[in-house]
Amino acid sequence: MDYMIEFEDLLIDFIPHNEVTSIQPYGKGHINVTFLVTTKEKRYILQQINTKVFPDVDKLMENIVNVTDFLIKKGVTTLEVIRTSDGRAFTEINSQYFRMYAFIENSVTYQVSESVEVFEESGFAFGSFQKHLADFNASSLHEIIPDFHNTPKRFNDFLKSCNADRYGRLKSCIEEADFILQRRNSLSRLTDSIREGRIPLRVTHNDTKLNNILIDSDTGKTKAIIDLDTVMPGSLLYDFGDSIRFGASTAEEDEPDTAKVHFDINLYNAYKNGFIRAMGDAVTPAETDLMPYSAYLMTIECGMRFLTDYLSGDTYFKTKYPQHNLVRCRTQLKLVSEIEKIFDLRTIG
Ligand code: ADP
Ligand code: GN1
Ligand code: MG
């Protein structure tokens, strides 16, 4: 496809004075369609926003602009939203919505923790992110995906997809579905703790996987936390657990050979150290107690979401082949079974 021709009008809208030399698909995100735009002057990220996931683009971009403006005022490096010629943070062409960010140069993203140092650094980065946003006015944020980490609700969606079995795929994932069903009574400790006021609501990132951080290629330190689409009020434990489920694994999220997938307690401890180093005593004892459980919960929740999408015909996460979501689900469930062996989850929370 010739992206230069396809995107000509919208590039004129965002960067009228640049001479574009190439446009390439970029990154490994599961939600938006991302391109690297190279111009003679500088590089940019162009994203087609996934409007199935984010139907209200106005509100989505309002959140991002507010959060990034707030961070910039504090001197924190963050996404730089490029404006259109009439000052908007996104543009629409043929009912497709696009935004642009300045490309954050000299940085790398990891699909797996290549060292404990990298993962500890990411813990420090996400802990710092929470701290920076501690005085952000949470009520000004739109809840862009309601119930995003409401695991009991995610379980109900999963049950519905099993019952409907619209694509006749349930027979190919009975074992995985059973694994989740057996754990149905262990899914509400975070939502209960928030409701009962035992842990606080904070402004959280909610999608803290390692490839949503840009690490400086020279220093190994964090350049920026990216993918701010899901910044919403939530629990610190959503961010903690979600990072662990991705980065404390010895293999990539879609490794087909589950024998290679292990939960690595050294990586877990490294992340926790980094996170606590950044947050200090802002983390409450109740939150600290629930950290192992949050690793369990965010991992089974993600496994459940992959399986729900597999059963529903792969309409949410981008997939490369028909079993892709099932393969992803299997890595998450393998991690869950190891997390259960390492931590005594019955006594937590
Ligand atoms: P998705 O919502 O689909 O996950 P992301 O916003 O996370 O999309 O972007 C996908 C990938 O593109 C990231 O993992 C990262 O590698 C790269 N990326 C995104 N924004 C930038 C940026 N401003 N500078 C450099 N790389 C970026
Ligand atoms: C999606 O957008 P991306 O690829 O960073 C998803 C997360 C999942 C993750 C699983 C908005 O993250 O919730 O944990 O895939 N984002 C959204 O890899 O649903
Ligand atoms: Mg992402």
Side-chain angles (χ1 to χ4, degrees):
M1 179 170 317
D2 192 338
Y3 298 118
M4 299 280 256
I5 295 173
E6 196 188 340
F7 295 149
E8 194 180 2
D9 290 346
L10 68 98
L11 287 171
I12 290 173
D13 203 6
F14 281 118
I15 44 169
H17 307 297
N18 292 60
E19 194 180 326
V20 178
T21 54
S22 75
I23 305 172
Q24 312 281 347
Y26 192 77
K28 295 209 167 164
H30 294 341
I31 302 296
N32 300 297
V33 187
T34 303
F35 300 90
L36 171 65
V37 176
T38 306
T39 76
K40 288 218 160 126
E41 296 75 15
K42 56 185 274 190
R43 302 201 287 174
Y44 298 89
I45 287 286
L46 173 70
Q47 277 185 331
Q48 184 184 342
I49 298 167
N50 184 331
T51 47
K52 248 194 239 159
V53 174
F54 303 113
D56 196 331
V57 180
D58 261 312
K59 287 188 174 153
L60 173 77
M61 292 314 294
E62 205 178 299
N63 276 358
I64 291 182
V65 166
N66 285 338
V67 168
T68 54
D69 281 354
F70 183 85
L71 291 172
I72 289 165
K73 278 195 196 113
K74 287 196 169 186
V76 177
T77 306
T78 185
L79 291 171
E80 180 192 333
V81 179
I82 307 295
R83 302 297 185 136
T84 62
S85 44
D86 55 358
R88 285 167 305 119
F90 64 91
T91 192
E92 188 231 313
I93 288 188
N94 304 327
S95 302
Q96 296 184 328
Y97 291 78
F98 293 86
R99 66 182 166 204
M100 255 184 132
Y101 296 128
F103 185 82
I104 299 174
E105 295 288 349
N106 204 38
S107 62
V108 281
T109 45
Y110 294 98
Q111 304 308 324
V112 70
S113 295
E114 289 188 0
S115 67
V116 281
E117 287 77 20
V118 164
F119 199 43
E120 168 157 8
E121 172 60 24
S122 77
F124 183 76
F126 278 120
S128 306
F129 185 82
Q130 295 248 320
K131 262 200 122 168
H132 292 314
L133 291 177
D135 55 341
F136 184 85
N137 176 10
S139 65
S140 72
L141 279 176
H142 305 290
E143 197 183 1
I144 209 75
I145 305 182
D147 291 317
F148 191 58
H149 284 305
N150 182 336
T151 318
K153 161 107 186 359
R154 295 283 188 188
F155 177 77
N156 285 337
D157 295 344
F158 160 70
L159 269 189
K160 279 185 207 150
S161 71
C162 290
N163 290 333
D165 192 21
R166 267 184 67 189
Y167 296 85
R169 287 177 159 184
L170 186 58
K171 58 182 178 302
S172 61
C173 58
I174 289 289
E175 214 180 300
E176 290 77 11
D178 269 348
F179 183 99
I180 295 168
L181 286 169
Q182 280 160 21
R183 286 157 181 80
R184 63 186 306 160
N185 295 325
S186 67
L187 306 177
S188 67
R189 267 185 246 167
L190 290 194
T191 40
D192 290 350
S193 298
I194 292 172
R195 202 185 48 249
E196 291 159 11
R198 278 184 278 135
I199 56 173
L201 269 186
R202 302 171 184 266
V203 176
T204 49
H205 182 283
N206 295 302
D207 187 2
T208 52
K209 61 180 175 177
L210 193 57
N211 66 13
N212 286 329
I213 300 192
L214 301 179
I215 306 270
D216 189 302
S217 329
D218 299 326
T219 64
K221 300 286 172 211
T222 303
K223 277 220 133 149
I225 302 272
I226 56 167
D227 203 344
L228 303 176
D229 292 335
T230 51
V231 174
M232 283 180 286
S235 164
L236 157 163
L237 294 159
Y238 298 155
D239 283 6
F240 182 87
D242 195 42
S243 281
I244 297 295
R245 71 144 197 99
F246 189 88
S249 172
T250 54
E252 288 197 26
E253 191 186 55
D254 61 353
E255 169 58 57
D257 180 1
T258 51
K260 294 184 182 156
V261 181
H262 296 290
F263 175 76
D264 184 334
I265 188 69
N266 293 323
L267 287 169
Y268 174 92
N269 286 329
Y271 185 92
K272 184 176 170 188
N273 288 344
F275 196 79
I276 302 267
R277 187 157 50 83
M279 291 218 55
D281 54 14
V283 185
T284 67
E287 288 171 322
T288 310
D289 286 351
L290 282 162
M291 280 177 172
Y293 174 76
S294 75
Y296 161 81
L297 190 70
M298 290 298 100
T299 311
I300 195 163
E301 179 188 278
C302 196
M304 213 153 65
R305 290 176 63 197
F306 287 142
L307 200 56
T308 303
D309 199 33
Y310 174 69
L311 290 166
S312 314
D314 306 317
T315 59
Y316 188 93
F317 298 105
K318 275 193 258 165
T319 50
K320 294 209 172 102
Y321 53 94
Q323 306 274 307
H324 205 167
N325 272 317
L326 177 56
V327 163
R328 289 173 178 147
C329 164
R330 287 184 178 138
T331 64
Q332 303 308 291
L333 301 190
K334 172 79 186 284
L335 293 169
V336 167
S337 65
E338 295 199 353
I339 292 171
E340 286 173 337
K341 287 188 190 114
I342 288 183
F343 299 114
D344 184 4
L345 299 171
R346 286 162 307 171
T347 61
I348 296 164

